[in-house]
Amino acid sequence: PPRSTLFPYTTLFRSNLELKAKANSDQTDLLIESSKIHGKLRYANRLTQRDTYYSTETGRLKIREETDLAREFKAYAILYERPDVKEDKFSDYIFYPIQDIKLFLKVFGGALKTEVIVDKVRELYLYENARIHFDNVEGLGRFVEIEVVIDPDPEKAKLQRDPHQIMSELVKIMDIKDEDRITCGYRELLINSRVENKNNNLNFVEVRDLSYYARSDKVFWVVNETINDHIKANYIIPCI
């Protein structure tokens, strides 16, 4: 049976094992030096991406527009589900290639409520069935992201190496520290950074059934109930 709670009635979704962390200038060099020994790494592309996130009742929805080094443009609608934890986590997703992005946005844009737009430049490397992203995110800085792609065909997936083994290998090669791991995604980090940039008063930004608040240098997720326009916090969880 499918693991996903977002896609309980279909096995058409795909899965990655993922990790995101703050990047440092040495990690690309470490990766390339290791590849000289193991010969598994290849540089794939530089992608200029814009991810527009929309409000949803469940899961996360974004429209991705990207242009590569050859100036080839592609666009996708991506619906996904991923836990916000520092450990390696599975992301379940379905993506739909958009042939005419202008028409798509004209048809659906009025019905979708935009949460946040994330602009980034991504350097893409491939290592076996893993994608390694070195991202320069506007307004946030530099990050490294690892996605170990699991083949959607169960028989082919059995022939792949354990995704946790590949992840551990890459974490060791790039010397990714536990304290540099990121719990949430760029969407949440960018929303949080905007809250932090406001004054030290209690500020709320509504995102589905979550609110974010910042006081001094602390940013938290608040799972809340709204009673007579007052927020009653049930759970307070640090985002990173």
Side-chain angles (χ1 to χ4, degrees), residues 24 35 117 149:
N24 64 61
S35 179
I117 296 174
V149 182

Side-chain angles (χ1 to χ4, degrees), residues 3 14-17 90 129 148-153 157 160 163:
R3 178 185 62 255
R14 305 187 66 167
S15 294
N16 298 334
L17 182 66
F90 283 100
N129 53 304
V148 185
V149 182
I150 299 168
D151 198 297
D153 184 327
Q160 293 178 320

Side-chain angles (χ1 to χ4, degrees), residues 69-131:
L69 281 172
R71 299 194 176 184
E72 181 180 357
F73 176 83
K74 294 181 181 179
Y76 307 90
I78 306 171
L79 179 65
Y80 67 102
E81 178 183 57
R82 182 187 64 215
D84 290 305
V85 295
K86 282 193 175 183
E87 295 79 16
D88 308 345
K89 58 247 186 187
F90 283 100
S91 175
D92 299 325
Y93 62 96
I94 289 179
F95 69 94
Y96 175 75
I98 301 171
Q99 300 301 319
D100 188 332
I101 185 63
K102 291 182 179 179
L103 179 60
F104 184 92
L105 293 176
K106 189 174 183 179
V107 172
F108 292 99
L112 299 173
K113 181 181 178 182
T114 302
E115 283 184 343
V116 69
I117 296 174
V118 178
D119 289 307
K120 63 181 178 290
V121 176
R122 168 168 288 176
E123 301 287 350
L124 171 62
Y125 291 82
L126 301 178
Y127 183 93
E128 296 188 29
N129 53 304
R131 295 167 55 93

Side-chain angles (χ1 to χ4, degrees), residues 20 24 39 62 105 128 131 144 158 174 192 234:
K20 194 188 305 289
N24 64 61
K62 64 184 176 185
L105 293 176
E128 296 188 29
R131 295 167 55 93
V144 58
K158 291 178 182 177
M174 290 187 283
N192 287 343
N234 294 326

Side-chain angles (χ1 to χ4, degrees), residues 38-56:
H38 301 290
K40 298 179 181 179
L41 181 76
R42 71 180 179 91
Y43 180 75
N45 219 324
R46 174 182 294 167
L47 305 170
T48 301
Q49 299 179 330
R50 165 165 287 191
D51 291 341
T52 303
Y53 288 85
Y54 297 96
S55 298
T56 57

